[in-house]
Amino acid sequence: NPMRTRFLKEAEERGCVAVSGVDMFVAQAEAQFKIFSGQEPPTGLMKEIVLEQFSPARKMLREARLARLQKPR
């Protein structure tokens, strides 16, 4: 899943403001953080964590770990 999908690119080409699912998710998480804690969320940290969790390298490591766990001993 690319960060900028064809749909987002086409919307931007037509002059629309396009926001990715990741950006919406992070904005919601930051708003919830502020509501529940009464503090400003750490700028950029939540997006950094989301991107790290869904990075291709992390996916490869997770798949390799699962493959090792599924091997008969």
Side-chain angles (χ1 to χ4, degrees):
N1 293 334
M3 287 291 296
R4 290 192 67 232
T5 63
R6 186 175 127 202
F7 179 76
L8 291 176
K9 290 176 191 172
E10 289 180 9
E12 288 171 350
E13 289 168 2
R14 290 179 168 86
C16 298
V17 175
V19 180
S20 75
V22 168
D23 290 331
M24 284 191 283
F25 178 77
V26 169
Q28 291 170 354
E30 289 174 340
Q32 291 172 10
F33 181 91
K34 186 172 183 176
I35 290 167
F36 290 109
S37 72
Q39 301 175 357
E40 289 296 321
T43 305
L45 178 62
M46 291 183 188
K47 185 170 185 176
E48 182 181 315
I49 291 169
V50 169
L51 293 176
E52 177 186 306
Q53 292 297 313
F54 293 103
S55 74
R58 185 166 179 89
K59 182 181 178 186
M60 288 173 28
L61 291 171
R62 186 171 48 245
E63 288 171 352
R65 188 177 327 112
L66 287 172
R68 283 195 313 270
L69 291 173
Q70 294 171 351
K71 281 185 181 177
R73 294 184 184 211

